Amino acid sequence: MRKGRLAALVAVPLAVAMLASGCGGGGSAASGDTVTVEWGEPENPLIPGNTTEVNGGNVLDSIFSGLVKYSPDDASVSNEMAQEITPSPDNKSFTIKIKPGWTFHDGSPVTADSFVKAWNFTAYGPNGQQGASFFEQIKGYDEVNPADPDGASGPQEAPKPTAQEMSGLKVLDPTTFQVELKAPLTIFPTMLGYSAFYPLPEVFFTDQASYEEKPIGNGPFKFESRTPNQSLTVSRFDQFQGEDKAQVQNVEFKVYDELDTAYEDLVSGNLDFVRQVPVSALAGDKWRADLGDGAQEKPGLLTQNLAFPLYDERFQNPDLRKAISMAIDRPTITEQIFAGSRQPADGWTSPSVEGYVPNQCGEYCTYNPERAKQLLDKAGGFQGTLTIITNGDGGHNEWSEAVAASIRQTLGIDVQFAPTPTFSEFRRQANAREFTGMFRTGWVADYPNIETFLTQLYRTGASSNDYEYANPAFDAALDKANAAPTVEEANKLYAEAEKLLANDMPVIPLWTQPVQAGFSAERLAEAKATPFRKLDLTSVTLKQQ
């Protein structure tokens, strides 16, 4: 009975999504040697240290190259700009030698100083870079970025820095620098392919406004032009020194307000690539029939979650949070909304990531109406309307309606879906701590290790801890894992830290998912979607016409 009622409640949003697919994006297919990809307006200017979301990250990953890179096939790690990364015996210090001869797109050399200055700029508190916490393990971080005593939303201001540069970064020669950490961090080399660790050209430090207008990187593509809220174009950098050189001349990132619109443009020949398939095309594997050889699926480093604004006193009782989690019928939703292509989550990490341990969430991620009601009563109930907030341009409407219906039917409280029109506005509200209800916190791994699903999301004051969760025991467990002598031992300890989240339930795990992407088999001979759900642009080749 309940399964049928849930299906009836979500049938209308499905129909609306299909009718609305004529809105946003669109346009004719690109001509010549230009590949068009589905995209969304980024949150911030394209500065590596201030970009912690996927739209900006997808562009940065095309115009920059890091010290290491991740395979588009399985996310395995190999050196890119790094010639050698040599750890000390205790994994507390790393000597990094970069390959000589690399240049930025403006012809200036990429040196050890290009990395050190970029990292110091990102870490320095007054610069307000969202990726600052990626450098918190480096010696001297606390001096350049003192902790805010009452969090981002509190009235107190963080103390002023006592230094402008981290003492743990030292340039040894033009192609060598040393990183000294506050404590051992065994997985540090794995992290170095993430965009926060990219180098910056000298022009960034002398004329930041000019850089923001036309970003300059060291990657296989260079920035060409941008029309805000419409498109951004990059072109092949023919002097690129890396092994993975671009094969196509231009890539145009096209902004879409609706995922269904992007998908229809792909099917009709007006777009070359979409990162994910909309719900409307999943039933009966319609997308495979539509796209043929252009349908791609592979294991993904992706999770979908709902977070509580813990800065709102209504959500501070963990029993309330557990009750809501246990009121969500994940098996029914994943089957009816996603045609079985998602797996109900049993923890806060992806089954595809190194170090994953099953059933970390235990009973609190299991649908149990009676237990959910008991926990709600124990918490004293919930007064008023519970809202579920997502960005309306990301294809989340159908499942959000279904989750709201499941909680409403199970707990008997008023639950409403309240979409925010665009991702950029959604992120603005997250940063401003303006959410008054549950909000989406889908996560794509920054690098291929279990730690990427934990530190930046749940450590006190971390870059993507938008809900202001703080647990000293969890932070200490992460510190213990960081200091493990091997990656394998570290992974076991990260999993122990993850299990602590079940006691607090700051975020509700919903489901994990594969990468389901599509490309134009008529125009493209090859195009690889990565485990990070983006197009590996250097793999793209055009069919001979």
Side-chain angles (χ1 to χ4, degrees):
M1 282 294 292
R2 191 184 180 289
K3 192 170 185 179
R5 289 178 62 201
L6 180 59
L9 284 167
V10 301
V12 172
L14 280 168
V16 170
M18 295 182 73
L19 289 171
S21 62
C23 304
S28 59
S31 59
D33 196 17
T34 296
V35 171
T36 55
V37 300
E38 165 260 329
W39 190 53
E41 191 70 13
E43 176 187 4
N44 294 318
L46 295 171
I47 301 172
N50 203 31
T51 299
T52 57
E53 44 79 27
V54 294
N55 291 321
N58 284 1
V59 175
L60 288 175
D61 290 344
S62 72
I63 64 176
F64 280 91
S65 289
L67 291 165
V68 304
K69 61 183 177 181
Y70 309 122
S71 165
D73 298 313
D74 60 5
S76 57
V77 185
S78 61
N79 283 352
E80 175 75 318
M81 267 214 70
Q83 185 167 298
E84 296 176 351
I85 302 175
T86 306
S88 62
D90 61 357
N91 291 306
K92 192 176 177 181
S93 176
F94 294 82
T95 302
I96 300 173
K97 187 170 186 61
I98 65 172
K99 297 172 182 176
W102 281 59
T103 66
F104 289 104
H105 300 149
D106 62 356
S108 61
V110 184
T111 66
D113 201 43
S114 306
F115 286 93
V116 169
K117 289 184 73 171
W119 295 10
N120 275 321
F121 178 88
T122 301
Y124 187 58
N127 290 332
Q129 302 296 283
Q130 290 187 7
S133 62
F134 280 91
F135 301 95
E136 67 178 354
Q137 298 295 333
I138 295 178
K139 186 177 179 181
Y141 176 84
D142 296 330
E143 285 69 47
V144 303
N145 200 323
D148 190 330
D150 58 355
S153 63
Q156 298 184 50
E157 294 185 3
K160 292 183 179 180
T162 57
Q164 290 188 316
E165 298 178 351
M166 291 180 285
S167 58
L169 294 180
K170 183 181 296 184
V171 175
L172 302 182
D173 61 49
T175 60
T176 312
F177 66 103
Q178 189 174 55
V179 184
E180 185 178 355
L181 306 178
K182 294 184 290 186
L185 181 58
T186 304
I187 69 162
F188 184 67
T190 298
M191 300 167 61
L192 295 177
Y194 179 58
S195 57
F197 297 97
Y198 287 158
L200 281 170
E202 192 61 29
V203 67
F204 174 85
F205 305 102
T206 59
D207 190 351
Q208 186 175 330
S210 175
Y211 168 90
E212 290 183 9
E213 184 176 345
K214 187 173 183 178
I216 296 169
N218 64 324
F221 290 88
K222 60 182 180 179
F223 177 89
E224 278 295 327
S225 63
R226 179 180 180 184
T227 302
N229 299 305
Q230 184 174 325
S231 66
L232 183 150
T233 299
V234 297
S235 64
R236 183 173 62 214
F237 179 47
D238 291 327
Q239 288 75 47
F240 178 62
Q241 287 83 8
E243 296 177 357
D244 302 321
K245 301 181 186 298
Q247 305 300 308
V248 296
Q249 183 60 44
N250 302 299
V251 176
E252 180 185 3
F253 295 89
K254 299 179 67 175
V255 174
Y256 281 86
D257 296 331
E258 296 282 349
L259 183 58
D260 282 275
T261 310
Y263 181 77
E264 287 190 357
D265 274 359
L266 175 65
V267 173
S268 62
N270 292 322
L271 186 70
D272 291 322
F273 180 82
V274 294
R275 292 172 286 183
Q276 58 181 323
V277 177
V279 166
S280 58
L282 291 176
D285 273 346
K286 180 179 182 294
W287 69 292
R288 295 186 187 277
D290 287 344
L291 302 179
D293 292 341
Q296 282 197 11
E297 183 170 359
K298 66 171 55 176
L301 297 170
L302 316 167
T303 60
Q304 193 69 266
N305 311 310
L306 280 175
F308 296 93
L310 300 180
Y311 47 83
D312 186 326
E313 62 181 13
R314 296 179 304 158
F315 298 102
Q316 291 180 359
N317 190 318
D319 287 325
L320 169 67
R321 304 195 291 266
K322 294 172 184 176
I324 293 172
S325 178
M326 297 184 77
I328 299 172
D329 188 352
R330 295 169 181 80
T332 298
I333 294 172
T334 53
E335 183 60 38
Q336 293 191 0
I337 300 296
F338 299 109
S341 64
R342 308 291 193 265
Q343 294 299 314
D346 61 359
W348 289 265
T349 67
S350 166
S352 301
V353 78
E354 180 184 64
Y356 165 79
V357 172
N359 201 33
Q360 294 284 71
C361 187
E363 66 169 325
Y364 300 125
C365 284
T366 302
Y367 178 57
N368 187 332
E370 292 306 314
R371 179 64 174 145
K373 292 173 184 175
Q374 291 171 2
L375 286 170
L376 181 64
D377 289 342
K378 183 180 177 183
F382 183 83
Q383 302 301 315
T385 298
L386 174 64
T387 54
I388 294 178
I389 307 163
T390 71
N391 54 302
D393 57 356
H396 307 296
N397 295 9
E398 297 86 0
W399 68 256
S400 298
E401 290 278 13
V403 168
S406 185
I407 299 170
R408 183 167 55 244
Q409 292 172 1
T410 302
L411 297 179
I413 59 179
D414 184 24
V415 187
Q416 300 295 329
F417 170 47
T420 297
T422 65
F423 182 71
S424 57
E425 173 59 17
F426 178 83
R427 288 302 312 156
R428 186 201 66 76
Q429 292 179 8
N431 292 330
R433 305 299 193 257
E434 291 180 355
F435 290 134
T436 57
M438 300 174 66
F439 57 97
R440 185 185 75 85
T441 60
W443 190 252
V444 180
D446 296 324
Y447 36 86
N449 184 275
I450 184 177
E451 187 269 354
T452 189
F453 288 95
L454 301 174
T455 296
Q456 297 305 324
L457 288 166
Y458 307 111
R459 181 186 277 278
T460 303
S463 64
S464 295
N465 187 346
D466 298 326
Y467 19 90
E468 300 202 355
Y469 173 64
N471 182 343
F474 177 80
D475 295 348
L478 288 179
D479 291 338
K480 183 179 179 182
N482 291 341
T486 67
V487 172
E488 291 74 20
E489 291 178 76
N491 289 341
K492 293 178 181 178
L493 293 173
Y494 287 129
E496 290 184 13
E498 178 194 2
K499 199 166 184 63
L500 295 178
L501 297 174
N503 294 323
D504 296 331
M505 195 61 68
V507 166
I508 293 177
L510 294 176
W511 40 79
T512 60
Q513 61 191 87
V515 171
Q516 291 173 311
F519 70 90
S520 171
E522 293 184 3
R523 288 200 72 226
L524 306 186
E526 184 176 9
K528 290 184 178 181
T530 76
F532 303 96
R533 199 173 63 187
K534 66 179 181 180
L535 176 60
D536 175 44
L537 294 178
T538 61
S539 73
V540 178
T541 57
L542 292 169
K543 283 189 173 179
Q544 297 295 324
Q545 302 297 323

mmCIF file of all heavy atoms in Angstrom, residues 343-363 365-366 450 491-492 494-496 498-500 502 509 512:
data_model
loop_
_atom_site.group_PDB
_atom_site.id
_atom_site.type_symbol
_atom_site.label_atom_id
_atom_site.label_comp_id
_atom_site.label_asym_id
_atom_site.label_seq_id
_atom_site.Cartn_x
_atom_site.Cartn_y
_atom_site.Cartn_z
ATOM 1 N N GLN A 343 21.905 2.982 -5.165
ATOM 2 C CA GLN A 343 21.941 2.029 -4.068
ATOM 3 C C GLN A 343 21.702 2.754 -2.745
ATOM 4 O O GLN A 343 22.382 3.741 -2.453
ATOM 5 C CB GLN A 343 23.298 1.313 -4.017
ATOM 6 C CG GLN A 343 23.572 0.422 -5.215
ATOM 7 C CD GLN A 343 22.542 -0.684 -5.342
ATOM 8 O OE1 GLN A 343 22.198 -1.352 -4.369
ATOM 9 N NE2 GLN A 343 22.023 -0.884 -6.546
ATOM 10 N N PRO A 344 20.721 2.310 -1.945
ATOM 11 C CA PRO A 344 20.507 2.955 -0.647
ATOM 12 C C PRO A 344 21.808 3.020 0.152
ATOM 13 O O PRO A 344 22.546 2.035 0.244
ATOM 14 C CB PRO A 344 19.476 2.037 0.032
ATOM 15 C CG PRO A 344 18.715 1.440 -1.111
ATOM 16 C CD PRO A 344 19.743 1.222 -2.195
ATOM 17 N N ALA A 345 22.089 4.185 0.710
ATOM 18 C CA ALA A 345 23.346 4.382 1.423
ATOM 19 C C ALA A 345 23.320 3.670 2.769
ATOM 20 O O ALA A 345 22.302 3.645 3.457
ATOM 21 C CB ALA A 345 23.612 5.865 1.622
ATOM 22 N N ASP A 346 24.449 3.121 3.164
ATOM 23 C CA ASP A 346 24.587 2.518 4.485
ATOM 24 C C ASP A 346 25.703 3.189 5.273
ATOM 25 O O ASP A 346 26.179 2.679 6.272
ATOM 26 C CB ASP A 346 24.831 1.013 4.383
ATOM 27 C CG ASP A 346 26.114 0.664 3.640
ATOM 28 O OD1 ASP A 346 26.819 1.591 3.177
ATOM 29 O OD2 ASP A 346 26.423 -0.538 3.514
ATOM 30 N N GLY A 347 26.132 4.352 4.798
ATOM 31 C CA GLY A 347 27.186 5.108 5.472
ATOM 32 C C GLY A 347 27.426 6.402 4.729
ATOM 33 O O GLY A 347 26.641 6.796 3.869
ATOM 34 N N TRP A 348 28.539 7.055 5.040
ATOM 35 C CA TRP A 348 28.802 8.400 4.527
ATOM 36 C C TRP A 348 29.839 8.406 3.412
ATOM 37 O O TRP A 348 30.260 9.481 2.975
ATOM 38 C CB TRP A 348 29.240 9.297 5.673
ATOM 39 C CG TRP A 348 28.107 9.617 6.608
ATOM 40 C CD1 TRP A 348 27.307 10.726 6.587
ATOM 41 C CD2 TRP A 348 27.620 8.821 7.694
ATOM 42 N NE1 TRP A 348 26.350 10.670 7.568
ATOM 43 C CE2 TRP A 348 26.519 9.505 8.273
ATOM 44 C CE3 TRP A 348 27.986 7.592 8.229
ATOM 45 C CZ2 TRP A 348 25.800 9.013 9.359
ATOM 46 C CZ3 TRP A 348 27.271 7.088 9.313
ATOM 47 C CH2 TRP A 348 26.199 7.795 9.864
ATOM 48 N N THR A 349 30.259 7.246 2.935
ATOM 49 C CA THR A 349 31.240 7.179 1.864
ATOM 50 C C THR A 349 30.697 6.334 0.717
ATOM 51 O O THR A 349 29.623 5.743 0.818
ATOM 52 C CB THR A 349 32.570 6.585 2.362
ATOM 53 O OG1 THR A 349 32.385 5.200 2.705
ATOM 54 C CG2 THR A 349 33.091 7.333 3.572
ATOM 55 N N SER A 350 31.437 6.287 -0.364
ATOM 56 C CA SER A 350 31.015 5.541 -1.548
ATOM 57 C C SER A 350 31.599 4.133 -1.542
ATOM 58 O O SER A 350 32.775 3.948 -1.204
ATOM 59 C CB SER A 350 31.489 6.270 -2.810
ATOM 60 O OG SER A 350 31.388 5.431 -3.945
ATOM 61 N N PRO A 351 30.822 3.122 -1.947
ATOM 62 C CA PRO A 351 31.368 1.764 -2.042
ATOM 63 C C PRO A 351 32.523 1.650 -3.034
ATOM 64 O O PRO A 351 33.274 0.678 -3.004
ATOM 65 C CB PRO A 351 30.165 0.934 -2.514
ATOM 66 C CG PRO A 351 28.967 1.721 -2.102
ATOM 67 C CD PRO A 351 29.378 3.156 -2.225
ATOM 68 N N SER A 352 32.652 2.649 -3.915
ATOM 69 C CA SER A 352 33.704 2.599 -4.932
ATOM 70 C C SER A 352 35.036 3.154 -4.448
ATOM 71 O O SER A 352 36.032 3.060 -5.166
ATOM 72 C CB SER A 352 33.266 3.384 -6.178
ATOM 73 O OG SER A 352 32.076 2.865 -6.726
ATOM 74 N N VAL A 353 35.067 3.736 -3.251
ATOM 75 C CA VAL A 353 36.286 4.406 -2.816
ATOM 76 C C VAL A 353 37.166 3.478 -1.992
ATOM 77 O O VAL A 353 36.681 2.586 -1.287
ATOM 78 C CB VAL A 353 35.940 5.674 -1.999
ATOM 79 C CG1 VAL A 353 35.525 5.332 -0.562
ATOM 80 C CG2 VAL A 353 37.100 6.659 -1.986
ATOM 81 N N GLU A 354 38.454 3.696 -2.092
ATOM 82 C CA GLU A 354 39.421 2.945 -1.308
ATOM 83 C C GLU A 354 39.183 3.172 0.179
ATOM 84 O O GLU A 354 39.113 4.313 0.633
ATOM 85 C CB GLU A 354 40.828 3.401 -1.683
ATOM 86 C CG GLU A 354 41.953 2.699 -0.944
ATOM 87 C CD GLU A 354 43.311 3.266 -1.303
ATOM 88 O OE1 GLU A 354 43.548 4.457 -1.003
ATOM 89 O OE2 GLU A 354 44.125 2.541 -1.885
ATOM 90 N N GLY A 355 38.994 2.091 0.940
ATOM 91 C CA GLY A 355 38.786 2.187 2.376
ATOM 92 C C GLY A 355 37.343 2.052 2.811
ATOM 93 O O GLY A 355 37.061 2.077 4.010
ATOM 94 N N TYR A 356 36.421 1.892 1.853
ATOM 95 C CA TYR A 356 34.996 1.776 2.198
ATOM 96 C C TYR A 356 34.728 0.573 3.100
ATOM 97 O O TYR A 356 35.258 -0.518 2.895
ATOM 98 C CB TYR A 356 34.177 1.647 0.912
ATOM 99 C CG TYR A 356 32.756 1.171 1.119
ATOM 100 C CD1 TYR A 356 31.769 2.040 1.561
ATOM 101 C CD2 TYR A 356 32.410 -0.158 0.861
ATOM 102 C CE1 TYR A 356 30.462 1.601 1.746
ATOM 103 C CE2 TYR A 356 31.104 -0.608 1.040
ATOM 104 C CZ TYR A 356 30.137 0.276 1.481
ATOM 105 O OH TYR A 356 28.839 -0.170 1.668
ATOM 106 N N VAL A 357 33.885 0.777 4.108
ATOM 107 C CA VAL A 357 33.416 -0.292 4.994
ATOM 108 C C VAL A 357 31.891 -0.258 4.988
ATOM 109 O O VAL A 357 31.291 0.802 5.181
ATOM 110 C CB VAL A 357 33.937 -0.097 6.437
ATOM 111 C CG1 VAL A 357 33.291 -1.100 7.392
ATOM 112 C CG2 VAL A 357 35.451 -0.236 6.469
ATOM 113 N N PRO A 358 31.217 -1.379 4.751
ATOM 114 C CA PRO A 358 29.749 -1.372 4.683
ATOM 115 C C PRO A 358 29.082 -1.187 6.037
ATOM 116 O O PRO A 358 29.681 -1.432 7.084
ATOM 117 C CB PRO A 358 29.419 -2.745 4.087
ATOM 118 C CG PRO A 358 30.584 -3.610 4.432
ATOM 119 C CD PRO A 358 31.789 -2.703 4.428
ATOM 120 N N ASN A 359 27.831 -0.724 6.006
ATOM 121 C CA ASN A 359 26.925 -0.648 7.162
ATOM 122 C C ASN A 359 27.456 0.216 8.294
ATOM 123 O O ASN A 359 27.242 -0.078 9.466
ATOM 124 C CB ASN A 359 26.607 -2.054 7.678
ATOM 125 C CG ASN A 359 25.324 -2.068 8.502
ATOM 126 O OD1 ASN A 359 24.402 -1.309 8.230
ATOM 127 N ND2 ASN A 359 25.272 -2.926 9.499
ATOM 128 N N GLN A 360 28.093 1.330 7.962
ATOM 129 C CA GLN A 360 28.602 2.236 8.996
ATOM 130 C C GLN A 360 27.479 3.011 9.688
ATOM 131 O O GLN A 360 27.617 3.441 10.826
ATOM 132 C CB GLN A 360 29.591 3.224 8.372
ATOM 133 C CG GLN A 360 30.877 2.585 7.858
ATOM 134 C CD GLN A 360 31.818 2.241 8.982
ATOM 135 O OE1 GLN A 360 31.573 1.328 9.761
ATOM 136 N NE2 GLN A 360 32.908 2.980 9.090
ATOM 137 N N CYS A 361 26.370 3.184 9.012
ATOM 138 C CA CYS A 361 25.250 3.941 9.570
ATOM 139 C C CYS A 361 24.351 3.070 10.444
ATOM 140 O O CYS A 361 23.616 3.575 11.293
ATOM 141 C CB CYS A 361 24.440 4.552 8.423
ATOM 142 S SG CYS A 361 23.136 5.683 8.921
ATOM 143 N N GLY A 362 24.403 1.756 10.222
ATOM 144 C CA GLY A 362 23.609 0.842 11.029
ATOM 145 C C GLY A 362 22.113 1.050 10.861
ATOM 146 O O GLY A 362 21.625 1.364 9.777
ATOM 147 N N GLU A 363 21.378 0.930 11.961
ATOM 148 C CA GLU A 363 19.922 1.004 11.884
ATOM 149 C C GLU A 363 19.417 2.374 11.452
ATOM 150 O O GLU A 363 18.312 2.504 10.926
ATOM 151 C CB GLU A 363 19.303 0.659 13.237
ATOM 152 C CG GLU A 363 19.612 1.656 14.344
ATOM 153 C CD GLU A 363 18.771 1.439 15.600
ATOM 154 O OE1 GLU A 363 17.595 1.053 15.459
ATOM 155 O OE2 GLU A 363 19.312 1.651 16.702
ATOM 156 N N CYS A 365 20.112 4.234 9.018
ATOM 157 C CA CYS A 365 19.888 4.392 7.583
ATOM 158 C C CYS A 365 18.914 3.337 7.056
ATOM 159 O O CYS A 365 18.821 3.124 5.846
ATOM 160 C CB CYS A 365 21.207 4.312 6.815
ATOM 161 S SG CYS A 365 22.211 5.821 6.960
ATOM 162 N N THR A 366 18.219 2.675 7.961
ATOM 163 C CA THR A 366 17.237 1.644 7.596
ATOM 164 C C THR A 366 15.831 2.192 7.813
ATOM 165 O O THR A 366 15.535 2.768 8.865
ATOM 166 C CB THR A 366 17.446 0.389 8.451
ATOM 167 O OG1 THR A 366 18.784 -0.085 8.266
ATOM 168 C CG2 THR A 366 16.460 -0.700 8.050
ATOM 169 N N ILE A 450 39.003 7.337 1.023
ATOM 170 C CA ILE A 450 37.870 7.487 1.928
ATOM 171 C C ILE A 450 37.920 8.811 2.695
ATOM 172 O O ILE A 450 36.876 9.399 3.022
ATOM 173 C CB ILE A 450 37.809 6.287 2.906
ATOM 174 C CG1 ILE A 450 36.567 6.368 3.802
ATOM 175 C CG2 ILE A 450 39.077 6.164 3.711
ATOM 176 C CD1 ILE A 450 36.425 5.168 4.727
ATOM 177 N N ASN A 491 43.311 3.962 6.191
ATOM 178 C CA ASN A 491 41.947 3.731 5.719
ATOM 179 C C ASN A 491 41.085 3.069 6.791
ATOM 180 O O ASN A 491 39.911 3.411 6.967
ATOM 181 C CB ASN A 491 41.966 2.875 4.455
ATOM 182 C CG ASN A 491 42.501 3.629 3.243
ATOM 183 O OD1 ASN A 491 42.541 4.862 3.243
ATOM 184 N ND2 ASN A 491 42.909 2.904 2.232
ATOM 185 N N LYS A 492 41.647 2.115 7.510
ATOM 186 C CA LYS A 492 40.902 1.446 8.589
ATOM 187 C C LYS A 492 40.512 2.439 9.685
ATOM 188 O O LYS A 492 39.402 2.391 10.222
ATOM 189 C CB LYS A 492 41.733 0.301 9.171
ATOM 190 C CG LYS A 492 41.966 -0.851 8.198
ATOM 191 C CD LYS A 492 42.845 -1.929 8.843
ATOM 192 C CE LYS A 492 43.103 -3.061 7.858
ATOM 193 N NZ LYS A 492 43.993 -4.106 8.441
ATOM 194 N N TYR A 494 40.225 5.754 9.267
ATOM 195 C CA TYR A 494 39.217 6.682 8.733
ATOM 196 C C TYR A 494 37.829 6.068 8.844
ATOM 197 O O TYR A 494 36.848 6.751 9.165
ATOM 198 C CB TYR A 494 39.515 7.026 7.278
ATOM 199 C CG TYR A 494 40.685 7.952 7.081
ATOM 200 C CD1 TYR A 494 41.715 7.638 6.187
ATOM 201 C CD2 TYR A 494 40.772 9.158 7.773
ATOM 202 C CE1 TYR A 494 42.792 8.484 5.993
ATOM 203 C CE2 TYR A 494 41.862 10.011 7.593
ATOM 204 C CZ TYR A 494 42.861 9.662 6.700
ATOM 205 O OH TYR A 494 43.930 10.499 6.514
ATOM 206 N N ALA A 495 37.742 4.776 8.590
ATOM 207 C CA ALA A 495 36.450 4.092 8.704
ATOM 208 C C ALA A 495 35.947 4.102 10.151
ATOM 209 O O ALA A 495 34.743 4.223 10.401
ATOM 210 C CB ALA A 495 36.558 2.661 8.188
ATOM 211 N N GLU A 496 36.865 3.997 11.115
ATOM 212 C CA GLU A 496 36.462 4.088 12.515
ATOM 213 C C GLU A 496 35.932 5.494 12.835
ATOM 214 O O GLU A 496 34.970 5.652 13.596
ATOM 215 C CB GLU A 496 37.645 3.748 13.421
ATOM 216 C CG GLU A 496 38.045 2.275 13.382
ATOM 217 C CD GLU A 496 39.164 1.950 14.356
ATOM 218 O OE1 GLU A 496 39.462 2.812 15.228
ATOM 219 O OE2 GLU A 496 39.750 0.856 14.257
ATOM 220 N N GLU A 498 34.481 7.450 10.646
ATOM 221 C CA GLU A 498 33.175 7.531 9.982
ATOM 222 C C GLU A 498 32.059 6.972 10.857
ATOM 223 O O GLU A 498 30.959 7.540 10.927
ATOM 224 C CB GLU A 498 33.219 6.776 8.651
ATOM 225 C CG GLU A 498 31.888 6.775 7.914
ATOM 226 C CD GLU A 498 31.829 5.764 6.782
ATOM 227 O OE1 GLU A 498 32.819 5.014 6.588
ATOM 228 O OE2 GLU A 498 30.787 5.697 6.088
ATOM 229 N N LYS A 499 32.336 5.891 11.531
ATOM 230 C CA LYS A 499 31.305 5.238 12.340
ATOM 231 C C LYS A 499 30.797 6.143 13.464
ATOM 232 O O LYS A 499 29.649 6.018 13.905
ATOM 233 C CB LYS A 499 31.828 3.925 12.906
ATOM 234 C CG LYS A 499 30.727 2.976 13.367
ATOM 235 C CD LYS A 499 31.262 1.581 13.601
ATOM 236 C CE LYS A 499 30.124 0.620 13.960
ATOM 237 N NZ LYS A 499 29.147 0.475 12.866
ATOM 238 N N LEU A 500 31.631 7.083 13.913
ATOM 239 C CA LEU A 500 31.218 8.011 14.966
ATOM 240 C C LEU A 500 30.077 8.919 14.504
ATOM 241 O O LEU A 500 29.310 9.430 15.332
ATOM 242 C CB LEU A 500 32.403 8.870 15.412
ATOM 243 C CG LEU A 500 33.575 8.142 16.088
ATOM 244 C CD1 LEU A 500 34.685 9.130 16.412
ATOM 245 C CD2 LEU A 500 33.107 7.423 17.349
ATOM 246 N N ALA A 502 27.405 8.161 13.110
ATOM 247 C CA ALA A 502 26.085 7.565 13.342
ATOM 248 C C ALA A 502 25.485 8.039 14.664
ATOM 249 O O ALA A 502 24.256 8.106 14.796
ATOM 250 C CB ALA A 502 26.181 6.041 13.321
ATOM 251 N N PRO A 509 22.689 10.144 5.076
ATOM 252 C CA PRO A 509 23.055 9.505 3.814
ATOM 253 C C PRO A 509 21.798 8.982 3.108
ATOM 254 O O PRO A 509 20.956 8.333 3.736
ATOM 255 C CB PRO A 509 23.966 8.352 4.248
ATOM 256 C CG PRO A 509 24.339 8.642 5.674
ATOM 257 C CD PRO A 509 23.180 9.384 6.239
ATOM 258 N N THR A 512 24.040 6.068 -2.898
ATOM 259 C CA THR A 512 25.232 6.224 -3.717
ATOM 260 C C THR A 512 24.840 5.919 -5.147
ATOM 261 O O THR A 512 23.791 5.325 -5.405
ATOM 262 C CB THR A 512 26.360 5.289 -3.258
ATOM 263 O OG1 THR A 512 25.911 3.925 -3.358
ATOM 264 C CG2 THR A 512 26.726 5.565 -1.809
#
